[in-house]
Amino acid sequence: MKCGFVAIAGRPNAGKSTLLNALFNEKLAIVSHKPQTTRSEIRGILNEEDCQIIFTDTPGIHKPRHRLETRMNKEATNVIQGVDLIYLVVDISTRFATGDEFVLRMVEQTGLPVFLILNKIDKLPKEKVLNNLLEWQKRFTFAEIFPISALEQDNFTDLIETTKSYLPEGEPLYPVDINTDESENFRIAEIIREKILLCAEEEVPHATAVIVENKVENEKSTYIQAMILVERDGQKAILIGKQGSMLRKINISATRDLEILLGRKVKLELFVRVEEEWRDNDSRITEYGYGHIDE
């Protein structure tokens, strides 16, 4: 059978996580309109009779402002260098810029086959999509090119079948009855962080981390206590909101998705704590589960 690793790489907001979720028709990675939503590699394990494909969604590659973002870039680089095939996901509705050039040169240096995934074709007329495709063809010799709309969940049969042809023969590397190796607590924390990204003001979400501190299960329900970390008192006040209104909004939205994930009723309690400058503290970054790299 065919068995191998595929890295999903690209700039922030290109639609990498949306593509991963669409390939599995399940939320494996959180998504939002804000850059740097993905902080660590997220694996999706596709099991079919003739293949096991391990897709890895990587953090968006960008100019770092904090130690956390430096580690996110390093993690993305490490992932790209350790796979069999790369999907370079590009937002076709935006202009080619220096960030695209940087990522393109990075994947070029691996020497691996690269599929160009021209995402968000639903945002442009067909003629414009074709023109952009031709421009991208001039920049690099891609192994394959696939114009798609991950948001509209195109039929990915051709993409998967073509991917198989580029992978080596081998035995499954993961149990065939799982579709991700992420821990349940990590997925719970990420869902809560997604709701912060969607609900909170622009300056707050990227300064937050989420830790599941307690989880108690019975036959019918799960009780979860989670701590939201921020860097300043002002951010804490915004997240809590007037009379707790913002925290309630985040709680209600997160609880809805957590009940889908866990398949049972969820009682969620959220708390907020200030942890100054944690994004520039390596030990804190590691403790909170972000930016995995081998130092």
Side-chain angles (χ1 to χ4, degrees), residues 5-27:
F5 291 84
V6 178
I8 304 175
R11 293 176 61 192
N13 272 16
K16 302 180 296 299
S17 297
T18 302
L19 173 60
L20 179 71
N21 293 339
L23 287 168
F24 287 82
N25 196 29
E26 180 181 342
K27 180 181 281 189

Side-chain angles (χ1 to χ4, degrees), residues 39-65:
R39 285 178 172 167
S40 296
E41 61 174 303
I42 308 293
R43 290 194 188 97
I45 304 162
L46 181 67
N47 293 291
E48 297 185 354
E49 286 188 6
D50 61 345
C51 74
Q52 183 179 82
I53 307 175
I54 301 97
F55 293 98
T56 304
D57 179 23
T58 62
I61 300 166
H62 59 287
K63 184 177 180 179
R65 295 168 298 171

Side-chain angles (χ1 to χ4, degrees), residues 196-208:
I196 298 168
L197 286 163
L198 295 173
C199 295
E201 296 181 20
E202 291 294 330
E203 71 271 20
V204 175
H206 297 305
T208 61

Side-chain angles (χ1 to χ4, degrees), residues 50-91:
D50 61 345
C51 74
Q52 183 179 82
I53 307 175
I54 301 97
F55 293 98
T56 304
D57 179 23
T58 62
I61 300 166
H62 59 287
K63 184 177 180 179
R65 295 168 298 171
H66 301 276
R67 177 61 179 157
L68 170 64
E69 294 175 355
T70 299
R71 287 181 52 166
M72 287 161 57
N73 280 352
K74 183 65 166 32
E75 181 177 12
T77 303
N78 289 350
V79 170
I80 289 170
Q81 292 173 344
V83 298
D84 302 291
L85 172 66
I86 298 170
Y87 286 1
L88 177 58
V89 182
V90 171
D91 179 353

Side-chain angles (χ1 to χ4, degrees), residues 207-211 227-231 271 273-275 278 288:
T208 61
V210 178
I211 304 171
M227 180 66 69
I228 302 171
L229 302 170
V230 293
E231 292 186 319
F271 307 90
R273 188 178 81 215
V274 175
E275 187 74 50
W278 72 265
Y288 304 154

Side-chain angles (χ1 to χ4, degrees), residues 119-134:
N119 192 25
K120 306 187 184 182
I121 61 172
D122 52 296
K123 292 189 173 184
L124 294 177
K126 289 184 179 180
E127 182 179 351
K128 186 68 172 176
V129 170
L130 179 59
N131 289 340
N132 286 0
L133 186 156
L134 294 173

Side-chain angles (χ1 to χ4, degrees), residues 133-149:
L133 186 156
L134 294 173
E135 288 300 312
W136 271 96
Q137 281 183 315
K138 297 174 184 178
R139 296 175 182 128
F140 181 69
T141 303
F142 295 98
E144 307 284 348
I145 299 177
F146 287 88
I148 68 160
S149 171

